Amino acid sequence: MFELDCSAVFPGCERVIRADSEAGVIRRAIAQANALGIDRISPMMMDTMRQRIVELPAAAERAA
């Protein structure tokens, strides 16, 4: 399981995005950005997303 604190990338976002893959997190983050009115994801935003995605330990997955 992978996780991204959306507020680290998009101002005003209060979500924590989780998915089974990094690509899934990025897809969900882009959808969230669009919902916040961000129409264009800059290369810098993409880099920040990739840097801020963390892999959760297996024990955390079972507890969630």
Side-chain angles (χ1 to χ4, degrees), residues 3-56:
E3 177 179 282
L4 171 68
D5 180 353
C6 188
S7 66
V9 183
F10 308 116
C13 184
E14 297 178 5
R15 290 190 62 203
V16 174
I17 299 168
R18 293 184 184 95
D20 291 332
S21 67
E22 288 185 53
V25 171
I26 290 172
R27 278 192 300 275
R28 290 178 182 183
I30 291 170
Q32 179 63 29
N34 291 337
L36 291 169
I38 300 169
D39 296 326
R40 182 179 176 277
I41 305 298
S42 71
M44 189 170 79
M45 284 179 174
M46 283 299 288
D47 289 343
T48 303
M49 273 192 272
R50 288 186 184 109
Q51 292 168 0
R52 302 287 178 128
I53 293 174
V54 295
E55 186 171 7
L56 300 175

